[in-house]
Amino acid sequence: MTAVAVLAAVVRQEWGRLTSLLLAHFRRLDLVEDALADAVETATTRWPRDGVPDNPAGWLHTAARRRVLDRLRAEMMAQRKMPLLLIDAEHRSTATTFADPDDQVEDDLLRLVLMCTHPALDPAAASALTLRLVLGVSTADIARLFLVPEPTMAARLTRAKKKIVTAGIPFAVPSADALPERLQVLAQTAYLAFTAGYAPGSGPDVVRTALAAEAIRLVRVVLELRRGEPVLVALLALMLLQHSRRDARVDDAGAVVLLPDQDRSRWRQDEVAEGVALLSSPALTGPIPVLAAGYAVQARIAAEHATAASAEATDWSRVVRHYDDLLVLAPTPSARLARAVAVAEADGPLAGLDAMAGLDDALPRSHRLPAVRAALLERAGERDAARAAYGLALQRCGNDAEAADLRRRRDALG
């Protein structure tokens, strides 16, 4: 693996841990993020020349820490308060305003997530900020997840970071009675991170299983604090059922393998069993919040696939009914598109195309909308229209592996 590839992997896998470690010591979000970016930029030049260090993440941490200290010293000199600020820089972690209650889990990454999902922040901005700071998802990929232009997302992230600094939002786990108000944003954030792992908007990766696994870990950590919380139980079930298919999503050549073509013997049956069991847990019986119900319905859809012996054995009519329930709870364009796929499997490609009516305005940047349309047109025998739709999907697609699959399908039409 080249030095550049190693660096990219370390940034994807360790960004959140590095951010939380530095923030736990220095408590300066502005300095920490800039210092990490500088460290990565330096590594881009040095590692190809000098070789990859034995501990790449440790190298980045040390380099970023030195940059933060350099900035702090410069600030101290400028303010002519060096002795006082030096002491503050070394011992700031003991400040009572940032102390955690004794009964909370000691987890720097969890602190970072909960800081980013503080109720003072707009929920959408909080989710985006958590993806950026905790999991290192690029601004471009976050913009794709939120279906907004990249400059809009960059401005939203900047405003959210300034809000944390100016409002004095603490880097701490809130007390048990304050935690529930964070759960909804935290759950949405974790699922966005999970989605980013299995639908990378750009880059060479078909999937980023480490990113998805980290999102699952975050949910498990918080579920330990709030046992039986419906939104977390339902979300964990959904994630596990989808995550169980990770080994079958990519073939030996690194190409995308779609659900109907996956080798089901490679699915993780222990995770399927855990996900199905969670759906039957007492936490999901009786009245539950709308968000929890939405995750539970999506998990039941995933369970239909995970427990079917083959693609042909899938009960697509039941899947469509689950999607009908989901659209009552969360009438999103993405859910409508997924329902159209299920309708096509249950009733044929023309029915699926009819179910996609009106989605173009709702998903103007999505490559999946024209990709699904192309596949259904191909099945319906409309080869020219299918080829044009594949072309539009290629124009919008930023992921290398998905683009290769779309190009192969388009070219196969002749």
Side-chain angles (χ1 to χ4, degrees):
M1 186 180 291
T2 66
V4 173
V6 171
L7 177 60
V10 171
V11 169
R12 283 197 301 270
Q13 296 167 13
E14 302 292 342
W15 186 270
R17 291 187 181 90
L18 291 170
T19 301
S20 59
L21 281 171
L22 291 165
L23 196 55
H25 185 75
F26 295 109
R27 311 293 169 137
R28 286 284 301 274
L29 179 58
D30 53 339
L31 299 187
V32 164
E33 193 179 21
D34 287 347
L36 264 180
D38 289 345
V40 171
E41 185 177 355
T42 301
T44 303
T45 303
R46 289 191 183 178
W47 291 10
R49 183 190 66 201
D50 303 335
V52 176
D54 294 335
N55 183 355
W59 190 99
L60 290 174
H61 178 265
T62 299
R65 187 176 185 279
R66 288 171 178 166
R67 280 160 176 76
V68 174
L69 288 171
D70 288 344
R71 285 284 303 277
L72 286 173
R73 291 189 186 102
E75 289 181 4
M76 294 168 196
M77 290 293 293
Q79 297 175 22
R80 302 190 179 200
K81 296 179 180 178
M82 181 177 288
L84 177 61
L85 291 178
L86 275 173
I87 293 172
D88 183 57
E90 291 299 323
H91 301 289
R92 201 167 184 175
S93 62
T94 62
T96 56
T97 54
F98 291 100
D100 290 339
D102 293 337
D103 61 347
Q104 297 297 326
V105 171
E106 294 293 326
D107 189 308
D108 286 339
L109 195 56
L110 177 60
R111 289 189 186 95
L112 183 59
V113 172
L114 294 173
M115 181 189 76
C116 293
T117 55
H118 192 278
L121 297 174
D122 173 76
S127 295
L129 187 63
T130 307
L131 291 175
R132 180 72 196 106
L133 294 183
V134 179
L135 298 165
V137 182
S138 72
T139 302
D141 284 355
I142 297 171
R144 288 176 183 272
L145 284 173
F146 281 87
L147 305 178
V148 299
E150 185 176 349
T152 300
M153 181 53 64
R156 186 179 297 174
L157 288 168
T158 298
R159 287 194 299 271
K161 285 182 281 189
K162 287 181 178 178
K163 178 77 170 182
I164 286 177
V165 175
T166 58
I169 294 175
F171 178 68
V173 176
S175 59
D177 59 345
L179 190 57
E181 67 186 21
R182 313 273 186 99
L183 291 178
Q184 180 164 316
V185 173
L186 189 146
Q188 292 169 328
T189 296
Y191 193 48
L192 277 171
F194 185 85
T195 303
Y198 280 114
S202 62
D205 300 332
V206 181
V207 294
R208 299 172 186 168
T209 55
L211 182 61
E214 189 66 13
I216 291 174
R217 189 185 80 86
L218 288 173
V219 173
R220 288 193 187 276
V221 167
V222 183
L223 194 53
E224 283 296 313
L225 291 173
R226 301 289 299 178
R227 293 182 182 276
E229 195 70 45
V231 68
L232 298 178
V233 172
L235 178 57
L236 183 58
L238 171 58
M239 287 177 161
L240 288 171
L241 288 164
Q242 293 180 337
H243 196 52
S244 68
R245 303 197 299 266
R246 60 189 175 279
D247 295 335
R249 290 174 181 259
V250 185
D251 66 17
D252 293 337
V256 176
V257 181
L258 300 179
L259 178 61
D261 304 319
Q262 290 176 10
D263 179 358
R264 297 183 178 222
S265 68
R266 300 185 66 191
W267 291 1
R268 305 285 185 99
Q269 293 304 314
D270 57 334
E271 293 172 0
V272 172
E274 184 181 359
V276 171
L278 285 169
L279 284 175
S280 301
S281 69
L284 299 183
T285 59
I288 58 176
V290 172
L291 184 64
Y295 289 144
V297 172
Q298 291 179 71
R300 291 190 177 96
I301 294 170
E304 293 287 347
H305 297 299
T307 58
S310 65
E312 294 74 23
T314 304
D315 189 337
W316 286 105
S317 295
R318 192 156 58 197
V319 172
V320 172
R321 291 197 295 272
H322 284 317
Y323 274 116
D324 290 338
D325 292 338
L326 180 60
L327 287 171
V328 173
L329 297 165
T332 66
S334 297
R336 287 182 57 198
L337 179 59
R339 180 186 180 277
V341 173
V343 168
E345 295 296 334
D347 301 321
L350 294 179
L353 288 166
D354 288 342
M356 293 172 64
L359 281 176
D360 291 276
D361 290 339
L363 295 169
R365 300 180 185 85
S366 171
H367 70 279
R368 290 187 173 82
L369 176 63
V372 169
R373 180 175 286 125
L376 296 184
L377 287 167
E378 184 178 353
R379 286 172 54 185
E382 300 287 343
R383 295 172 64 87
D384 290 341
R387 184 177 175 82
Y390 278 128
L392 178 58
L394 275 166
Q395 291 176 23
R396 296 179 179 179
C397 184
N399 181 269
D400 298 347
E402 288 191 72
D405 182 66
L406 291 169
R407 192 173 295 108
R408 177 184 62 79
R409 293 173 182 275
R410 182 197 61 184
D411 293 348
L413 291 173

